[in-house]
Amino acid sequence: MTTQTILPVNADSLSQLSKQRQEPAWLTENRLKALELAANLELPKLEKMRIERLDIQNYGSYKENAGMTSLAEVPASIQELVQDQESGSLLIQRNSGVVYTKLAPELAEKGVIFTDLQTAANEHGELVKAHLHTAVKADESSVAALHAAIWNGGVFLYVPKNVEVTVPLQAVLLTDDGEATFAPHVLIIADVNSSVTYVDNYVSEGNQAVTHNGAVEVFAKQGAKVRYATIHQMGTNVTDLSYRRAVIENDASMEWIVGEMNSGDTVSDTYSVLKGNGSTSDSKVIAVGSGSQKLNYTTRANHFGKSSESQMITRAVMREEASAIINGITKIEKGATKSDGQQTEKVLMLSPKARGDANPILLIDEDDVKAGHAASVGQVNQEQIYYLMSRGISREIAESLIIYGFLAPVVSQVPMESLQKQLQAVIERKLGQ
């Protein structure tokens, strides 16, 4: 049985909207082709979960937002996230569009481009056209196709050849109008032998139901180093569908740091394509589920290049009646000799009704490789609790220490101290502390 996708826009209105935004003809054509695909493709197939049981039809419509000239104008819900960023590189999207963009002058002088994707499609058309929707492809599913048709705002980051960016660039993406489409697309291109750290934060405000259909595409060219840190902390009314892809070329490296802190139902897929020889991928994911959340997290690494290496670590804490399906998939293709793929999934359950399902999967088509996986699902170790209590620590604090120690391997890797503190506060709130 196939569930029919209800399209939030028709071809005529989509074409008119694209014209109104003065988008290039190739982009309008891409959108219209994707909309046609969305009407005919099936929904994504999830491991042990049916996506059609989630509330995924609340797309709203495109709504313009007034821009901001200074950070004094930002909504109260994100003020803490942007404080002390007046001189840094920062982009803010609010609902359907980007309302604030600033690139540090010293980076602009080096040729770094950091702007909203819609602007980039006009001003850097050839660069955008060559990469957009080539990692997260429109024909993957109706969800991917619909995103390709209606994406708005978004982030475009380009780092030129041999340029090293030492200070993280940051984006904050906010949905606070349930009637406005929220479907940002992040496109990052790190040219040959460049390096960059990018951080973003997804936030919601309000009680209206919202479907976030977002995509991230990262291209690490030969010898490039990319670190991508993202924290999703949207509310119970938001269903979060997030698809992340990185294409990693010869001797390039990609590091994912993902904090899944939503309060609503979530589907996320973080996928590294190790295309080049000597390419590396390091994925760290933490998640905290609470209430009656339904969560599906997939982390993947696909090895094509020789001597490529991948490491995947996922740690999840489930409380109350939350349930999570956690998938780790390592695929080593024929010819990817000397490759090494390792993965670990661990789930800690804090209540009898919480559920966690860890699924490590190895798909190996080459003999001369290394690959391994580990997975565990269980309750808090009572012996550890008793040991800490015997040292004069209360049960509540003892449990907290164990949980924070469980999540520490990822939290400690967040590349900004302010973001680390914010993530710690979100974790405490989700754990009811």
Side-chain angles (χ1 to χ4, degrees), residues 30-275:
N30 280 1
R31 289 187 184 278
L32 293 174
K33 287 181 178 178
L35 187 66
E36 185 177 350
L37 284 172
N40 296 294
L41 291 174
E42 294 186 0
L43 290 166
K45 299 289 192 299
L46 304 181
E47 186 75 22
K48 300 182 180 180
M49 180 184 288
R50 297 180 64 178
I51 194 171
E52 57 267 31
R53 292 182 176 175
L54 305 182
D55 191 3
I56 58 171
Q57 300 291 353
N58 300 297
Y59 281 98
S61 58
Y62 180 85
K63 295 175 71 173
E64 288 281 356
N65 264 310
M68 298 185 302
T69 57
S70 76
L71 295 184
E73 302 173 44
V74 302
S77 54
I78 61 171
Q79 282 180 354
E80 287 188 12
L81 299 177
V82 301
Q83 62 183 359
D84 304 323
Q85 287 293 314
E86 289 82 358
S87 59
S89 299
L90 175 67
L91 181 147
I92 300 173
Q93 174 162 343
R94 187 176 188 182
N95 302 311
S96 300
V98 170
V99 295
Y100 180 89
T101 307
K102 182 178 176 58
L103 175 63
E106 60 271 19
L107 295 184
E109 290 175 3
K110 293 180 180 180
V112 174
I113 303 169
F114 185 54
T115 187
D116 66 277
L117 186 55
Q118 288 180 215
T119 296
N122 283 304
E123 298 182 357
H124 310 282
E126 290 304 313
L127 197 55
V128 174
K129 183 179 179 181
H131 295 85
L132 185 64
H133 305 314
T134 62
V136 181
K137 298 181 180 180
D139 61 3
E140 288 185 14
S141 68
S142 61
V143 169
L146 190 54
H147 170 83
I150 68 171
W151 68 264
N152 48 41
V155 179
F156 179 74
L157 170 59
Y158 171 74
V159 185
K161 182 178 179 180
N162 297 324
V163 171
E164 294 186 11
V165 180
T166 57
V167 178
L169 296 92
Q170 185 178 0
V172 178
L173 304 107
L174 167 68
T175 170
D176 62 359
D177 182 350
E179 297 179 355
T181 302
F182 182 61
H185 188 105
V186 178
L187 176 59
I188 297 175
I189 304 168
D191 217 329
V192 176
N193 294 326
S194 65
S195 66
V196 66
T197 295
Y198 166 86
V199 177
D200 63 25
N201 207 306
Y202 289 73
V203 185
S204 72
E205 187 78 14
N207 298 315
Q208 289 180 280
V210 175
T211 298
H212 165 248
N213 183 348
V216 173
E217 297 182 295
V218 179
F219 297 88
K221 305 297 184 180
Q222 181 175 330
K225 297 179 180 179
V226 180
R227 174 186 273 188
Y228 189 118
T230 182
I231 299 175
H232 288 228
Q233 52 170 318
M234 293 180 281
T236 55
N237 57 304
V238 180
T239 300
D240 184 4
L241 310 177
S242 294
Y243 292 84
R244 311 178 187 97
R245 304 282 188 277
V247 179
I248 311 161
E249 299 189 3
N250 291 345
D251 300 314
S253 66
M254 178 71 204
E255 182 179 4
W256 297 103
I257 303 169
V258 180
E260 298 283 8
M261 299 293 137
N262 290 324
S263 295
D265 296 337
T266 301
V267 174
S268 79
D269 186 306
T270 304
Y271 182 18
S272 293
V273 180
L274 294 117
K275 180 180 177 182

Side-chain angles (χ1 to χ4, degrees), residues 275-390:
K275 180 180 177 182
N277 298 334
S279 56
T280 62
S281 169
D282 184 355
S283 303
K284 300 182 182 73
V285 180
I286 60 169
V288 178
S290 59
S292 58
Q293 280 184 275
K294 296 178 180 63
L295 310 167
N296 190 294
Y297 305 126
T298 299
T299 310
R300 295 189 280 164
N302 199 347
H303 295 250
F304 291 91
K306 294 179 174 61
S307 301
S308 54
E309 297 181 4
S310 68
Q311 174 76 34
M312 301 187 297
I313 298 173
T314 302
R315 300 206 172 187
V317 177
M318 297 292 115
R319 63 189 294 257
E320 297 168 338
E321 298 181 13
S323 62
I325 307 295
I326 298 172
N327 309 299
I329 305 172
T330 302
K331 176 77 188 302
I332 301 181
E333 304 288 348
K334 183 70 176 175
T337 55
K338 307 297 182 183
S339 292
D340 187 352
Q342 305 294 329
Q343 57 168 286
T344 303
E345 294 84 43
K346 293 186 177 181
V347 185
L348 190 63
M349 294 180 293
L350 304 185
S351 70
K353 293 185 178 180
R355 292 289 180 269
D357 191 346
N359 304 298
I361 300 170
L362 299 178
L363 304 170
I364 313 297
D365 290 336
E366 179 57 59
D367 295 329
D368 187 14
V369 300
K370 295 179 181 179
H373 64 70
S376 65
V377 178
Q379 305 283 342
V380 175
N381 189 319
Q382 292 303 313
E383 290 185 2
Q384 293 176 339
I385 296 288
Y386 295 147
Y387 174 81
L388 291 171
M389 291 176 66
S390 72

